[in-house]
Amino acid sequence: MSEKPRDLEITEPVEITLNGELITAQNGELLIDACERNGSYIPRFCYHPRMSPVGMCRMCLVEVDTGRGAALQPSCMIPVSDGMSVDTESDGVAKAQDGILEFLLANHPLDCPVCDKGGECPLQDQAYAYGPGESRFVEEKRHNEKPIPISDLVFLDRERCILCDRCTRFADEVAGDPLIHFIHRGSHTEVNTFPGEPFASYFSGNTVQICPVGALTASPYRFKARPWDLEETESTCTRCSVGCRVTVESSRNEVLRLQGVDSDPVNWSWLCDKGRFGFEAGNSRNRISQPLLRSESGELSEVRWNTALDGAASAISAAVDGRGPQSVAVLGGARLTNESAYAWTKLAKGVIGTDNVDCQLGDGLPAELVLGLPGASIDEVCESGATVLYLGPDAKEELPVLYLRLRHAADSDGVKIVEVGPTLTGLSPYVAESITALPGETASVVAALLDGTSEHVQASALLRDASDLKVVIGRANLAEDETITVKAANLIRESVPGATFLPALRRGNVRGALEAGLSPGLLPGGAVLAGTVPPGWQSVPTEKGGSASEILEDAANGRVEVLILLGSDPLRDFPDRSLARRALAGAKTVISVDPFVNASAELADLVLAASMFSESAGTTTNLEGRVTTLNQKVTPPGTARDDWMIAVDLTDRLGADLGVETSAADLLHEMAEFSDAHVALRDGDPVGDGVMLDISGRDLVTPAEFEVPAANAYSLRLVLNRTMYDKGTLLAESPSSAGLAGESVVKLSAADAAPLGVDGSTQVKVTSEHGSVIVAATIDPKVPKGVAVMHHVLGDVDAGTLLVSGDPVCDVRVEVS
Amino acid sequence: MARLTPDNLLLARKIIARFPKPRSATIMLCHLAQEQDGYLSEEAMAQIAELIGATPAEVLGTASFYEMFKMHPVGKYCVNVCTNISCQLLGGEELLEHAEEVMGIRSGSTTEDGMFTLEDVECVAACTEAPAVQVNYRYFNKVSPEGFDELLEDLRSGELSRTIPPHGTLGYVRQDLDGDRIANITPPSQQVEPVWFPDGDSDEGPAK
Amino acid sequence: MSDTAVDTDEADQDVPKVVSSRFDVADGHTLDGYTRSGSFEGYAALRRVLTMTPGAVSELVKDATLLGRGGAAFPAGVKWGFCPPGVWPRYVVVNGDESEPGTYKDRLLMERDPHQLIEGSLIAAYAIGAAQVFLYVRGEMPHAQERIAAALNEAYEANLIGKNILGTDFSVDVVLTWGAGAYIVGEETALIESLEGNRGMPRLKPPFFPAAKGLYMMPTIVNNVETLSNLPWLLNHGVAEYRSIGTEASPGTRLIALSGDVERPGVYEVPQGTTTFRELFESERYGGGIRGGHELKMFIPGGASAPWFFPEQVDLPLEGRVVGGEGSMLGSGAVVVMDDTTDAVRACLRLVRFFARESCGKCTPCREGTVWEEKILQRILDGQGRPSDLDLLLDVADNISPGPYPLAAYAEADLEAIPFPPRQTTICPLGPSSVAPITSAIRRFRHEFEDKINRKDSIPVTSAGMSNV
Ligand SMILES: Cc1cc2nc3c(=O)[nH]c(=O)nc-3n(C[C@H](O)[C@H](O)[C@H](O)COP(=O)(O)O)c2cc1C
Ligand code: SF4
Ligand code: FES
């Protein structure tokens, strides 16, 4: 097993004797770790350094003497204490361990040749290394139905299971989804689910990774490859902004598996299933391998890169010549590497001269907040004893591994979380208090908590007494305008000057894109656009550009002529769906840079085939500002290429030079040279857990005030948020996960549902000032009175048509249709 | 059926209230459900899970650990023959064989009429009265083959229906679960020192 | 439901009845009967205790050397003292899960003198400062559950339990709860798991002993029913009188369930250390001799988990230390007598099967090893044995409970010692207990095994053990 003992700084040293030699260990650490760190690896099956030890398998027995004579003890359960003497190699230990192995193999089917785990199986390795050659067990083995599905993604072969309690412990202890459990007793014990209630956990794939044998297998990988055919490289998952470290494993130029890497500051070896199995999209047949150009007949058809790039360049030049540089706009960039993001910033702002650039699609946080607020790392937020104010999206749905970290912090490390939001979340069961803030009231609820006027006395005291308040700040509701979040942030800064902030950003590399300057009014490193020309640039825009919604508005009314969608899909992702539609229709030329023909690209004039995760090398920046490497493992299909290369080619066509001498790394180095935030990168490229940007915060502008309208005839306030499995392109292109997206619903509190006569799944009409949709209604105990919840990009019902961007909140009326 | 009746639900809530943590009531609630239905149904386990704040898988995990919980309907009478050492020495195994013969079923199964389930069981703490038999956990001591036949007859004829309730019912008498004499329950989070307990070594004297 | 033979001979007043004085009193289980009959006045001890400091009560119990009767014979007063100071709440758990094969005494105490147990539990709760008492009765004992429930209801009514007991500051609840069929739940940490609503799988100790971190990780005292039932008499009669019974190291009496091949099987209250096994088996007062004039072949001195004794050990006294020194244990007071008609292999298989069926499944060696042992023994009985099976059995046993560790008595008899108390590759002693019958039987009666292996004909066996769990 690849798990390593956790890095540890010895603060309380004790001396123990390990096989006759004195070693120093941390007082209280587990013997099994202390021994491994000092060169004596003790075999084990049930122990996992990120879960509490159970001492079930007994493989790690060693002789321990604490002064009362040597006794066989499981080293995974024994805390190191001063003067302890340990023998890991005595005859007694060897005999005991051989005995355990024989017991484990007694009922094991030994079907290694057809087992996915064959070749990387600790049981197999142990058996070869230490086991008896021939089995003395001549009795009939236990029989069980071969693999049974325990969820949509995971299969269980109970014959292979050695009952180590890893998967079940993970489900309970780490994920908080105890849906698999030991059933029956003694030699009849098996792992299973409750009938009819599958192991539907967002984190189920981790059980496959930690299963020490081949009992748990994941459908995307089953029978795909043998471990010895796999090549692997370390990288970072970019499906959300947490940035979990992974190994990407491939065979014959196809990614077959992602495994979590134990990155101490980030993911502790865990991944969510969306991240783990999302690689499937890269292998999709729907990937585009050539640029596509809309032909005379109106179809998108493949063309050569020269044709495509010439077309793009001339559309840009024509727009610039006609209406000036601001008539070209770039929307998106969060999917890109830092290098590519910088290349596109430089192309847009330094070459074309437009500041109409935004990497977020109206669903994020203003760059002012992300870059301006003094930052807190994940570790700081989760630090034992911390107090956290959580104002953000449901982490379980949107930032799954951050959820695992926060859950652990609250559950095991005494971190007190006060959650303020329009609904309860996956984290609610673990927080000190969940406080409802109806849409529009986030800032006022926070203000009351901080000035002591809140009726939530305990939560208020908790926050006010915190010496070192940590704030997770994000948007729990896409139908609530971002200015309300900004207002809340400013309030917190004023009343708690020492508070630090972790921005709960959504997409993979938003932070990197913002730091690279893909945002209106900004230059790389968060510098404000004010005439200074960064080294290596020819010029900077003279006029401040618009945000995503302003850009779309301008496209709709013809002021933006060329709209470049940089890996973005406003038709699916921009909350105000009508505006997105009008914008795509209004822009003269729409250029999509994407690996897929997504919904928006369907309407584009030109689609430039881009590479994806695991196909390009570079760096990425997670929500806390941690820069880690992305490694290339496979090649993109056809002539698809990295986004930065497309920028370089396009710059060429526009008669300029982006300044790349040898590789994308040149771009990063150029940026690091003048960006103060990137100072840590000047010393070299990030490795392993990466390097942190300077997140000490920069003074940026405070946004405008806003007015929340009083509730009107539209009696409920809309909450629009995301679920982990939705109809986004990457999920739709991942066969094993695509089916997990639910159908469209509107969720109501029981109190609001009753008078309407809504019970199980009544069809209702949801109407706002701007439109209406027909959708099934359900009652959800997480939803407070006065709120209607709909999910973004789920099912066929388009909740986005109900709102208009710029409105502080969206009121709706729900009627049984 | 299957979900708890309103009366039993009330009782279940009282049982839960007697424990510092709801989950501690799991086994008692499973017994309650088994008493109601004669076995422990999936619906009941799911409901118990709701009541104690666990998942159904956790309830099943606990319940299936214990032999007395039957996940499928069993006979009205569970006839348990002890075959452990003290009973074995005095003919427990032979008695089991006899039982299989006269009942026409193997140990571990139920007669077709749904009247009896036969099981060979481990020591039932009646070792000096070997061979011992339990019917729905009521004891019969020093049971000879003939005595066993009579026992079956009495069970069939209803002779014993007043002393032996249907499978699932344990004590006829329950502990009263509420009333003003109850002291309190002390959840582990509530770290209060008992008022009558003097500090440390101080000789503060007895409870007043 | 016929009556159990218990030692009720009024003439034998030479040995005071400490715990069994109401076994033959028809209404001894009622509050009225409890206060009227028996060798002390019911609830007088509680009244006395309430005038003492909790510390003084603990001291008294410590001075009496009240050894635990659940099997491990750990002094109760000492155990109470392990509760870390200042950590609240604390709990008392009464272990009424009696399931060790051959053991039959706690059920009698619960059915016939429930108030005595309740009074004892209250005394313990007072002494340690418990917030609550959980009285955990074995699931398969509805009669005991009823008797205790009725007694609790009476006692609550009489203000003997609950809020401000007998008008004092002392308040404690006693909650009756019960198991559902799992021997391992008798092990104290498994019992705690079960009380928390979990599978009854033992916890590893160290790091935590229940007295420090038990129920809900709070200080918890787990005591056996008989242990606690001793308290009312002890508090009534005082330490000196208590210590005058039995021996210095093991004062008081024990309830011994004498079963198997004797003329008068029964539950007898005997003074510790002064009675020998021979007296127990042969005297008219107790066993009345080996059944039908047969010869003694072997006997188990302390429940299924105890290594066997043989005729040469009948003159040992029933005292924990002595029995322990001879390589076995007095355990839970279950003496099983086997005469010369007993098939050692069959008896051995029956005991091993018990452990195989009752393993909780947590530790690999116990889960896999006990079933393996059972299968080999079954094969030998079925006439499918192989000569190598005996060494294999012993080696499998050795992998569950590494040994042997020579003991003087065995060396003299030219026998390898049984590893006892067992060294273990497991968390609790259940798995290693399965080794006791195997090593006992093979070392003494190897020829019986070999005969079966050589004869190759199948010995008919019943389907015992075939029913599903
Ligand atoms: C496998 C196993 C089964 C046990 N069963 C019981 C039991 O049924 N009753 C009991 O009182 N103690 C039993 N014990 C002993 C308990 O763990 C514990 O030592 C005892 O309840 C403590 O009470 P005492 O100190 O009063 O004897 C068992 C121990 C083991 C290892
Ligand atoms: S020895 Fe057996 S019964 Fe005891 S904890 Fe281990 S598996 Fe469970
Ligand atoms: S690794 Fe220690 S018992 Fe399994």
Side-chain angles (χ1 to χ4, degrees), chain B residues 33-200:
Chain B
Q34 178 150 296
E35 176 172 334
Q36 176 181 298
D37 299 334
Y39 74 105
L40 186 57
S41 68
E42 283 174 18
E43 291 88 335
M45 285 189 272
Q47 190 185 14
I48 290 168
E50 278 168 38
L51 287 169
I52 61 169
T55 64
E58 291 176 291
V59 174
L60 174 62
T62 294
S64 63
F65 186 86
Y66 300 92
E67 250 141 84
M68 287 172 75
F69 295 127
K70 309 297 176 195
M71 308 299 171
H72 301 284
V74 290
K76 181 176 176 196
Y77 295 114
C78 253
V79 179
N80 295 356
V81 180
C82 175
T83 57
N84 210 306
I85 186 74
S86 304
C87 288
Q88 183 199 40
L89 290 169
L90 298 187
E93 289 184 345
E94 288 76 10
L95 182 65
L96 178 70
E97 243 176 290
H98 173 81
E100 288 186 324
E101 210 159 285
V102 296
M103 294 168 89
I105 49 171
R106 295 286 279 180
S107 168
S109 42
T110 301
T111 54
E112 243 164 54
D113 60 3
M115 197 68 170
F116 300 116
T117 296
L118 176 66
E119 287 190 359
D120 71 295
V121 295
E122 300 300 344
C123 180
V124 293
C127 316
T128 64
E129 312 308 305
V133 170
Q134 280 191 328
V135 179
N136 290 352
Y137 308 107
R138 268 67 183 175
Y139 286 93
F140 293 87
N141 293 337
K142 297 186 174 148
V143 180
S144 64
E146 301 71 41
F148 187 84
D149 297 348
E150 275 169 39
L151 174 61
L152 286 195
E153 207 32 63
D154 289 349
L155 286 167
R156 266 204 199 93
S157 69
E159 191 84 357
L160 289 168
S161 60
R162 301 194 50 215
T163 40
I164 302 181
H167 178 257
T169 303
L170 292 181
Y172 278 120
V173 186
R174 284 184 202 283
Q175 179 177 13
D176 295 338
L177 292 168
D178 44 19
D180 45 8
R181 294 214 185 275
I182 299 288
N184 62 349
I185 60 148
T186 312
S189 53
Q190 203 178 305
Q191 311 191 344
V192 284
E193 188 173 32
V195 282
W196 43 271
F197 201 82
D199 268 331

Side-chain angles (χ1 to χ4, degrees), chain B residues 24 31 61-62 66-68 83 86 93 97 100 120 122-123 125 139 172 175-176 181 184 186 196 208, chain C residues 1 91 107 138 146 153 156 163 168-169 174 176 179-180 195 197 199 216 259 346 350 357 462-463 465:
Chain B
S24 286
H31 276 304
T62 294
Y66 300 92
E67 250 141 84
M68 287 172 75
T83 57
S86 304
E93 289 184 345
E97 243 176 290
E100 288 186 324
D120 71 295
E122 300 300 344
C123 180
Y139 286 93
Y172 278 120
Q175 179 177 13
D176 295 338
R181 294 214 185 275
N184 62 349
T186 312
W196 43 271
K208 283 167 209 83
Chain C
M1 281 173 269
Y91 300 104
R107 176 159 78 90
R138 181 170 172 189
E146 286 174 348
N153 292 344
Y156 263 104
K163 221 185 289 173
T168 67
D169 277 351
V174 180
L176 171 61
L195 253 179
R199 301 162 60 79
Y216 315 123
S259 68
R346 226 177 119 184
R350 189 60 196 84
R357 281 172 73 167
T462 66
S463 56

Side-chain angles (χ1 to χ4, degrees), chain C residues 66-76 79-80 93-100 103 105-106 138 182-191 202 205 221-228 254 305 331-332 354-355 358 428-431 433:
Chain C
L66 172 58
L67 300 180
R69 307 292 202 251
F74 196 82
K79 177 147 80 183
W80 297 359
V93 174
V94 184
N95 189 344
D97 195 58
E98 180 171 70
S99 319
E100 177 80 18
T103 312
K105 60 181 182 90
D106 297 340
R138 181 170 172 189
Y183 162 71
I184 187 60
V185 162
E187 196 282 332
E188 55 185 359
T189 58
L191 184 58
K205 38 175 201 184
I221 294 298
V222 183
N223 267 134
N224 170 259
V225 163
E226 186 186 344
T227 315
L228 295 170
R254 293 212 57 167
S305 308
S332 49
F354 169 74
F355 295 108
E358 296 298 337
C428 90
L430 185 146
S433 293

Side-chain angles (χ1 to χ4, degrees), chain A residues 698-775:
Chain A
R698 281 147 266 171
D699 256 345
L700 293 159
V701 283
T702 326
E705 277 296 317
F706 58 92
E707 194 78 34
V708 182
N712 55 17
Y714 295 89
S715 63
L716 299 176
R717 288 237 147 119
L718 183 68
V719 169
L720 185 62
N721 61 19
R722 286 177 183 267
T723 53
M724 176 146 140
Y725 293 114
D726 61 19
K727 299 261 156 121
T729 306
L730 293 188
L731 269 166
E733 297 295 345
S734 302
S736 36
S737 315
L740 298 175
E743 290 305 317
S744 320
V745 284
V746 58
K747 295 176 177 170
L748 303 172
S749 66
D752 287 327
L756 292 171
V758 167
D759 45 21
S761 53
T762 324
Q763 289 289 118
V764 295
K765 186 174 178 194
V766 182
T767 313
S768 77
E769 231 176 306
H770 309 291
S772 72
V773 294
I774 306 273
V775 64

Side-chain angles (χ1 to χ4, degrees), chain A residues 7-22:
Chain A
D7 289 336
L8 173 124
E9 194 192 328
I10 296 191
T11 50
E12 236 187 285
V14 288
E15 290 220 311
I16 67 170
T17 313
L18 169 59
N19 299 330
E21 277 172 44
L22 273 185

